[in-house]
Amino acid sequence: MTEALRYAFVDEYGGVQVFAEKEPFLVVAAVVVSTPRILESLVKRARKQFGFKQELKAARSSEKVIRWVLEGIVSEDPSIVIVALDKRAIVKPPKDRENLYRQAVTCLVRASVQRWARLDVT
């Protein structure tokens, strides 16, 4: 029997600046669901209810909006995969600091496909 296709929606927090005291971590996370419609409809309802015209950003949202969105996500019983890079432990940064982001995403995708063989990543 073929495993059902799962959908992973990836986002990040933090940048690739290595010695930024206010941002010591680069975190990449995926919310994995059985159908993309689950999250798409949640975002659509949030936009309508709270009047968002642009991307939903927790940093620019009230606690009420953040709580509403997170409760909506949790009610759908998602799986969540997180990779966190502690940039304070980096002694010699790569020449191209975007490689830090690429490495974190690679680890996230690797961990995800080890769990779900059929995965659509966005």
Side-chain angles (χ1 to χ4, degrees):
M1 183 173 192
T2 303
E3 182 181 344
L5 179 61
R6 303 285 293 198
Y7 299 85
F9 294 88
V10 178
D11 202 2
E12 85 285 335
Y13 165 79
V16 295
Q17 287 300 99
V18 177
F19 303 110
E21 287 183 28
K22 292 182 181 179
E23 211 174 70
F25 299 98
L26 171 61
V27 179
V28 182
V31 176
V32 183
V33 293
S34 58
T35 173
R37 183 155 163 63
I38 290 170
L39 294 180
E40 290 166 356
S41 64
L42 178 66
V43 170
K44 186 176 180 180
R45 288 193 321 264
R47 286 180 188 276
K48 185 175 182 180
Q49 183 164 337
F50 298 106
F52 281 92
K53 305 256 187 273
Q54 298 176 342
E55 179 182 16
L56 291 172
K57 287 289 215 184
R60 295 189 306 245
S61 299
S62 69
E63 185 177 329
K64 178 182 177 181
V65 172
I66 294 167
R67 183 179 305 276
W68 188 91
V69 171
L70 290 176
E71 286 174 353
I73 291 170
V74 169
S75 72
E76 298 297 338
D77 195 30
S79 296
I80 298 175
V81 182
I82 298 172
V83 171
L85 172 64
D86 185 347
K87 298 182 292 185
R88 297 171 299 187
I90 296 173
V91 178
K92 184 179 177 190
K95 287 183 183 179
D96 181 357
R97 293 199 177 123
E98 286 296 316
N99 282 338
L100 297 174
Y101 177 74
R102 292 180 192 107
Q103 268 188 315
V105 171
T106 299
C107 290
L108 180 87
V109 171
R110 182 181 299 120
S112 299
V113 297
Q114 285 174 343
R115 170 65 178 86
W116 303 281
R118 298 188 65 223
L119 188 67
D120 182 305
V121 180
T122 301

